[in-house]
Amino acid sequence: MVAKQNRLLYIWLKMLPMLLRKWLTAITVLLVGMGACTPAKTTTATTDASEITNALDKRQWIFRPQLMFPQRGRSVPVDALYNVQMDSMRLLVRLPYAGRVYGTATLPETRSPLDFESKRFEATIQTNKKGARVITITPQDVPEVTNMIFTVFTNGSAQLQVQLRNRTPVSFSGTVLPKQ
């Protein structure tokens, strides 16, 4: 009986290094795979407040949304392809839309109502009590959009509220970066 137990212990001790190597390899592959799938970091930390303020004053900035908040339903992550680009002479909006249509609609719609380029718009910039910049943009050549209100904080994070004429409003949160 003792000889049989000693033999089992001997076999177990011989197999232990091989089992440990397999487990360590599996854990390493799992951890490396998880590290490769983490989302990219935003560049907000590298952009300081003065760069953002200068870009807002010069009207040379880009808003990159990260989440969309429809009036009904849950928040939706936004793809990296969507953004709002502001030049002194042009407003380029490429944003998704999820919401209700009121009144008549042209169906089937193939484009988002927030996918447009405007060269005639009014933009006002104000600073609120907490130091955030509030930018109100009213496009005059886009009949669907009433106004767009950006609230840009000193760290570069921003919120966008879009009011539409025949649709429910939608909001976005993201970051504002100086245009390169």
Side-chain angles (χ1 to χ4, degrees):
M1 182 81 165
V2 176
K4 191 174 185 180
Q5 287 177 347
N6 285 343
R7 187 162 192 246
L8 288 175
L9 182 62
Y10 175 75
I11 292 171
W12 174 252
L13 289 176
K14 252 191 143 50
M15 291 177 54
L16 186 63
M18 182 180 65
L19 291 172
L20 286 176
R21 265 188 268 127
K22 285 185 179 181
W23 278 99
L24 284 176
T25 304
I27 290 172
T28 304
V29 168
L30 183 67
L31 289 176
V32 169
M34 286 174 53
C37 294
T38 57
K41 303 281 188 225
T42 59
T43 56
T44 306
T46 60
T47 306
D48 64 347
S50 63
E51 289 179 33
I52 294 170
T53 303
N54 289 339
L56 293 176
D57 290 339
K58 292 178 185 177
R59 292 187 177 186
Q60 297 287 329
W61 49 268
I62 299 174
F63 171 72
R64 295 189 189 225
Q66 294 166 345
L67 287 173
M68 175 176 63
F69 302 97
Q71 192 173 27
R72 296 178 183 214
R74 299 180 183 181
S75 63
V76 180
V78 178
D79 195 7
L81 300 173
Y82 295 106
N83 61 31
V84 176
Q85 297 181 23
M86 174 75 156
D87 283 334
S88 57
M89 304 296 282
R90 179 177 75 131
L91 177 68
L92 182 63
V93 178
R94 301 282 185 255
L95 293 174
Y97 178 77
R100 282 189 161 179
V101 178
Y102 299 114
T104 59
T106 56
L107 295 175
E109 285 193 338
T110 57
R111 287 179 45 177
S112 165
L114 300 178
D115 186 8
F116 64 88
E117 179 178 354
S118 176
K119 294 188 178 184
R120 290 183 43 228
F121 58 91
E122 292 180 14
T124 60
I125 301 176
Q126 298 173 341
T127 305
N128 67 9
K129 294 177 184 178
K130 297 183 178 181
R133 307 292 294 268
V134 179
I135 304 166
T136 304
I137 298 174
T138 307
Q140 298 169 344
D141 54 353
V142 181
E144 190 75 30
V145 178
T146 304
N147 63 13
M148 303 172 72
I149 301 171
F150 293 87
T151 305
V152 183
F153 303 97
T154 55
N155 64 354
S157 63
Q159 295 175 349
L160 167 61
Q161 298 171 351
V162 182
Q163 298 291 325
L164 299 142
R165 282 198 169 67
N166 295 324
R167 299 174 185 260
T168 56
V170 65
S171 300
F172 297 89
S173 69
T175 58
V176 167
L177 301 167
K179 196 167 184 182
Q180 304 295 334

